């Protein structure tokens, strides 16, 4: 308890470093900081414990686990109860942001390296004390001035420098095009449980695009969602790891991609890459790809759905998968199911992204984990699932998902996911238009999924007005939530 070190700040923005030499600390102070003030923290058994007085609720953008009630409104990000969180090993779930916390008065703290992540812990007593465990080699960014977002921008700027994240200043033109995705349309047209997984066919895609053209909407990306692939043992889950088009639905997948191009759109494809089933093609070829049993199945059986093993040769598997569809004309990949432990997901995302960029740097790679440590390995982050269900405060979820995406992935694009949301039983004209209105002023490209004539001609018309206003505008999709030099 007697070993004390200075805690160095510049303009109220601090970096606490554990397990480094005094000369290194002095070098940092001389090169990075012009104005100093000091406080201190304790070194306990080789581990720093930094204690802050905070005001709840605490905004924890990394915490995407929730009850159904919390999930519907996004309240799970705001914690009033006591907790011990490791933001690096928490499941990524639906949308897990950066490893930072902001209290109700704007006090900010964030981890700065993945080194020693196993023991990097946020602990809150449920009252007013936040204790941060900072292992040797880990680093902590603290701003206690109550400036919240400004501190987060400063954190992002420093992290972008450290992680060599170059913000996109230019990108292939099609990345910023409007996107059309089949997912909610599949669900809307399904007449039976899980029927939507079997509706996706060549003719489905042709009819969908013809409707978009009939509306007079701008052309853009056309993404095939879950249901285009084979299910080797007849179960939907066996498709994970079997990334082969179903020949009954798509007798010639290349011709489907050609048809999309001929109609003036860019082909995109959903892939739930981080999951794998024992009966899948890849698992049978290479059982080492099988990872943790706990992939969301209630049974958690070894012969069921599994997480991908992050220690396996992900790069080779990813290269083979992406290249297969790239050669057929696919230029955008919507990666889904990154729900497992974040430290595992990071490795999988990294290898998958590198594989795609080795094939063609112009491929758009979209993910749903907007974390600063994942940012270098993505092109676009989608704001992900929203249900316009009145049981929940769904507008709050829309706002929070957008904020987490914008602020946790600076310098990357944003997909304003699924106008009208995913809950087909809850979508009405009024809520669809309310959701659309919320997106109008936002950075990011629009994504239409449910064809709006199912709701009303007014929805068709107002969606068209929004899409054309976007198309004729500056088409700003890149998050600028950092301090530009």
């Amino acid at each position: 308890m007697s070993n004390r070190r200075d805690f160095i700040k510049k303009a109220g923005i601090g970096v606490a470093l554990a397990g480094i030499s005094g000369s290194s600390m002095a070098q940092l102070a001389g090169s990075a900081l012009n104005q100093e003030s000091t406080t201190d923290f304790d070194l306990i058994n080789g581990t720093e414990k930094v204690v802050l007085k905070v005001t709840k609720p605490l905004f924890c953008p990394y915490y995407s686990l929730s009850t159904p009630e919390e999930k519907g409104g996004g309240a799970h990000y705001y914690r009033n109860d006591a907790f011990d969180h490791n933001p690096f090993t928490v499941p990524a779930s639906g949308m897990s942001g950066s490893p930072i916390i902001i209290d109700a008065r704007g006090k900010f703290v964030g981890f700065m390296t993945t080194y020693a992540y196993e023991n990097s812990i946020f602990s809150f007593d449920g009252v007013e004390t936040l204790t941060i465990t900072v292992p040797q080699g880990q680093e902590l960014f603290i701003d206690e001035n109550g400036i919240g977002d400004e501190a987060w921008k400063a954190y992002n700027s420093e992290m972008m420098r450290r992680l060599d994240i170059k913000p996109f200043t230019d990108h292939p033109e099609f990345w910023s095009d409007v996107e059309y995705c089949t997912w909610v349309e599949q669900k809307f047209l399904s007449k039976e449980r899980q029927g939507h997984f079997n509706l996706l066919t060549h003719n489905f895609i042709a009819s969908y695009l013809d409707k978009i053209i009939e509306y007079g909407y701008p052309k853009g990306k056309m993404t095939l969602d879950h249901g285009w692939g084979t299910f080797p043992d007849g179960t939907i889950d066996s498709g994970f790891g079997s990334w082969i088009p179903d020949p009954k639905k798509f007798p010639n997948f290349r011709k489907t991609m050609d048809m999309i191009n001929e109609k003036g759109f860019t082909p995109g494809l959903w892939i739930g890459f981080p999951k794998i089933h024992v009966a899948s093609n890849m698992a049978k070829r290479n059982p080492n790809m099988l990872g943790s049993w706990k992939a969301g199945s209630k049974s958690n059986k070894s012969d069921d759905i599994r997480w991908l093993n992050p220690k396996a040769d992900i790069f080779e598997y990813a290269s083979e998968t992406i290249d297969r569809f790239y050669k057929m004309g696919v230029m955008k990949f919507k990666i889904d199911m990154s729900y497992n432990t974040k430290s595992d997901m990071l490795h999988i995302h990294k290898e998958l992204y590198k594989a795609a960029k080795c094939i063609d740097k112009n491929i758009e790679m979209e993910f749903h984990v907007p974390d600063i440590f994942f940012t270098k390995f993505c092109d676009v982050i989608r704001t992900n699932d929203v249900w316009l269900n009145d049981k929940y405060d769904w507008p709050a979820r829309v706002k929070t998902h957008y904020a987490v995406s914008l602020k946790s992935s600076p310098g990357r694009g944003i997909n304003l996911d699924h106008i009208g949301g995913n809950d087909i039983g809850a979508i009405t004209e009024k809520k669809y238009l309310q959701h659309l209105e919320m997106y109008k002023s936002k950075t990011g490209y629009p994504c239409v999924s449910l064809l709006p004539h199912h709701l009303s001609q007014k929805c068709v018309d107002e969606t068209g007005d929004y899409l054309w206003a976007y198309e004729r505008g500056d088409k700003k999709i890149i998050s600028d939530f950092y301090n530009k030099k």
Side-chain angles (χ1 to χ4, degrees), residues 14 20 80 165 293 320:
I20 66 171
N80 287 289
I165 297 170
W293 295 10
E320 175 186 318

Side-chain angles (χ1 to χ4, degrees), residues 57-92:
L58 305 186
F59 179 51
C60 307
Y62 58 83
Y63 196 77
S64 191
L65 301 176
S66 63
T67 64
E69 293 75 19
E70 289 177 325
K71 187 174 185 180
H76 50 289
Y77 292 114
Y78 296 89
R79 310 312 304 177
N80 287 289
D81 52 325
F83 61 75
D84 293 295
H85 290 167
N86 183 323
F88 297 99
T89 61
V90 67

